Amino acid sequence: DTGVSQNPRHKITKRGQNVTFRCDPISEHNRLYWYRQTLGQGPEFLTYFQNEAQLEKSRLLSDRFSAERPKGSFSTLEIQRTEQGDSAMYLCASSLSPAVSSYEQYFGPGTRLTVT
Amino acid sequence: AQKITQTQPGMFVQEKEAVTLDCTYDTSDQSYGLFWYKQPSSGEMIFLIYQGSYDEQNATEGRYSLNFQKARKSANLVISASQLGDSAMYFCAMRRLIQGAQKLVFGQGTRLTINP
């Protein structure tokens, strides 16, 4: 197991275009999280999945953002009609249930989005 | 509201010295957890140490220890015998349980630079 992976690592897009990012969590982890990190700030929570169910969404996640985890494995985060303010690092993390493990979230390397 | 405050934007330390990174938190939850993550320039968030609110002893992981003072709502990270590879951003985070999810709330981070 090589940990959480994210693709692409970098994405440059023009304002108004749609983009999609993928996250592959650690295989036995049933919980998956998306965070956004802007320059000079700590990560901010966006959304959370337990298996395939999306159980929590931050108000940061406007209606231009949608996330899915169709089979409870990998997840995608789509941003429609991108804006320059969407430029950020998008981080994915996964974890086991707190009942069976520590509370540690394992993070991927992130996807850096630049909207021009 | 739940909040993490890291008051040191940057710290400069000589190699082999110990360093303390400050973290204070605000929460109305009775049960919570506190994490420290390291983020090198590559961008990946690396878990360092965890302290639960009901843990009576301070957490330790190798050269890392967490100085947990519950009454003061502080959770400072102590790195002993600093190394050049410790140069990175360090984030303090608090775990909140929402529908079984461990949503992390991060501080703004401290950039640590180890000088040879």
Side-chain angles (χ1 to χ4, degrees):
Chain A
D1 189 1
T2 57
V4 179
S5 61
Q6 293 186 245
N7 288 289
R9 293 292 308 277
H10 303 274
K11 179 71 177 178
I12 300 174
T13 191
K14 292 185 177 180
R15 188 178 55 184
Q17 298 293 307
N18 299 343
V19 294
T20 300
F21 311 140
R22 176 178 170 128
C23 170
D24 287 88
I26 294 172
S27 58
E28 64 268 27
H29 286 186
N30 61 342
R31 292 155 191 257
L32 187 147
Y33 307 79
W34 285 98
Y35 293 84
R36 181 172 70 184
Q37 185 179 21
T38 53
L39 205 60
Q41 303 293 320
E44 295 174 291
F45 172 82
L46 291 179
T47 190
Y48 152 69
F49 290 86
Q50 182 173 329
N51 299 312
E52 64 275 10
Q54 187 175 20
L55 296 185
E56 174 73 11
K57 290 172 61 174
S58 164
R59 59 179 180 272
L60 293 175
L61 219 62
S62 74
D63 55 6
R64 296 185 299 105
F65 288 71
S66 62
E68 293 182 341
R69 194 182 184 197
K71 296 183 180 179
S73 56
F74 72 91
S75 175
T76 58
L77 178 67
E78 181 183 14
I79 309 174
Q80 296 182 327
R81 306 181 302 280
T82 53
E83 302 173 355
Q84 287 187 321
D86 298 331
S87 295
M89 175 80 88
Y90 290 84
L91 292 163
C92 176
S94 70
S95 72
L96 287 167
S97 165
V100 297
S101 75
S102 70
Y103 292 98
E104 179 183 350
Q105 291 185 19
Y106 294 80
F107 281 81
T111 295
R112 183 169 296 283
L113 173 67
T114 302
V115 181
T116 61
Chain B
Q2 278 67 24
K3 186 178 179 182
I4 294 285
T5 302
Q6 294 180 253
T7 57
Q8 305 154 312
M11 290 277 288
F12 296 85
V13 174
Q14 288 297 119
E15 189 180 7
K16 299 182 184 177
E17 289 185 351
V19 57
T20 298
L21 305 182
D22 295 341
C23 172
T24 57
Y25 61 92
D26 187 19
T27 182
S28 55
D29 294 344
Q30 294 299 309
S31 176
Y32 53 90
L34 296 153
F35 295 79
W36 278 91
Y37 279 87
K38 173 184 178 182
Q39 188 177 42
S41 55
S42 59
E44 189 167 352
M45 301 287 284
I46 301 169
F47 166 78
L48 296 178
I49 197 166
Y50 169 78
Q51 179 88 38
S53 58
Y54 292 116
D55 295 339
E56 294 185 354
Q57 290 195 329
N58 287 341
T60 60
E61 290 284 350
R63 294 186 300 113
Y64 305 107
S65 61
L66 198 152
N67 184 2
F68 181 48
Q69 298 188 40
K70 195 170 182 177
R72 294 185 177 183
K73 293 190 174 180
S74 74
N76 298 340
L77 176 70
V78 180
I79 305 174
S80 63
S82 57
Q83 302 171 356
L84 295 178
D86 294 334
S87 294
M89 283 291 291
Y90 287 79
F91 290 97
C92 180
M94 179 166 55
R95 167 183 60 85
R96 297 195 63 209
L97 278 177
I98 299 175
Q99 297 196 57
Q102 9 162 356
K103 169 183 173 179
L104 293 179
V105 177
F106 286 85
Q108 290 195 308
T110 296
R111 181 171 297 282
L112 176 63
T113 303
I114 307 298
N115 296 316

